[in-house]
């Protein structure tokens, strides 16, 4: 009986106490981790950080804190946690090397979300793709092209190149060029262009539209027509103005020349 009590005191009781303490550390640690992660999330949201980044940072913090809790629990059980930490570090390094491209996309995604060169709903051109941004995630950005195709672009490709955001400003300038023949009435053509542009209610008066002769080309006298419009009216104004210019020029007898070449043939008389 004395031997049994000695075995209980030496082996069973200490192990039971260590297991109970390890379980307590794990349970309390999980509760503390949950509280800390919630506080971190609230602080990030209070700083007006994007929800997707808040969720990602909270997840990373939750994993790291749980890892600390698990290590503390195992250490209480007498497990050699030094080797475990080294193993986890080596595994993390191996995973990092294997996922270099993904980590690059992740880093770029964080930068895009933090600095916000564009937002969902913007029309942008980046990484050789032009379209409306539908969703920005940690690793890629989903865009919808003008012909309604969905394109998934890695964030690393976007952030490492030039980003053109056509929706960043409320107004845009429509740049158009129209040519008339050298024999046509230049002042009349300019007046017609002025009339077409100013009669369009979508064209802004400030800044004022620019209509000027820009070039005496090989086969035409070219006008630049540059009205300012709201960004959403850009393509409609461009298309409608081009059509109106063609119709009015035809009506008023003003030609729109096309590239041509005059060939002169000389006849040599033989003796």
């Amino acid at each position: 009986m004395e031997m049994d009590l000695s075995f209980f005191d030496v082996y069973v009781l200490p192990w039971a106490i260590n297991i109970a303490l390890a379980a307590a550390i794990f349970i309390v640690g999980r509760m503390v981790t949950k509280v800390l992660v919630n506080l971190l999330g609230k602080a990030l949201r209070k700083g007006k950080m994007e929800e997707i980044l808040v969720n990602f940072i909270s997840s990373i913090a939750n994993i790291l804190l749980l890892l600390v809790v698990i290590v503390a629990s195992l250490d209480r059980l007498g497990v050699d946690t030094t080797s475990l930490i080294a193993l986890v570090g080596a595994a993390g390094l191996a995973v990092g090397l294997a996922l270099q491209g993904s980590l690059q996309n992740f880093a770029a995604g964080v930068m895009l979300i933090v600095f916000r060169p564009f937002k969902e709903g913007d029309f942008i051109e980046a990484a050789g793709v032009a379209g409306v941004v539908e969703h920005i995630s940690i690793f890629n950005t989903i865009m919808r092209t003008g012909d309604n195709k969905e394109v998934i672009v890695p964030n690393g490709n976007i952030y490492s190149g030039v980003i053109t955001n056509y929706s960043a400003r409320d107004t845009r300038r429509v740049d158009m060029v129209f040519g008339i023949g050298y024999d046509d009435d230049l002042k009349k053509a300019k007046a017609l262009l002025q009339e077409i542009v100013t009669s369009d209610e979508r064209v802004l008066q400030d800044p004022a539209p620019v209509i000027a002769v820009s070039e005496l080309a090989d086969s035409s006298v070219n006008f630049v027509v540059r009205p300012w419009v709201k960004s959403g009216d850009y393509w409609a104004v461009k298309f409608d103005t081009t059509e109106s210019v063609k119709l009015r020029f035809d009506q008023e007898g003003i030609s729109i020349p096309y590239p041509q070449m005059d060939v002169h043939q000389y006849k040599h008389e033989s003796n």
Side-chain angles (χ1 to χ4, degrees), residues 38-55:
N38 288 336
L39 290 175
L40 176 64
K42 290 180 180 179
L44 294 175
R45 291 185 182 93
K46 191 174 181 181
K48 297 181 179 180
M49 186 173 288
E50 291 286 342
E51 186 65 25
I52 185 173
L53 190 57
V54 171
N55 293 335

Side-chain angles (χ1 to χ4, degrees), residues 14 29 36-37 44-45 49 52 74 99 113-114 122 181 185 187 200 211 225 227 235 238:
L36 292 177
V37 170
L44 294 175
R45 291 185 182 93
M49 186 173 288
I52 185 173
L74 293 176
L99 300 176
I113 293 172
V114 171
D122 284 353
D185 189 332
K187 291 185 178 180
D200 193 329
I211 299 174
V225 178
W235 288 110
K238 183 178 179 68

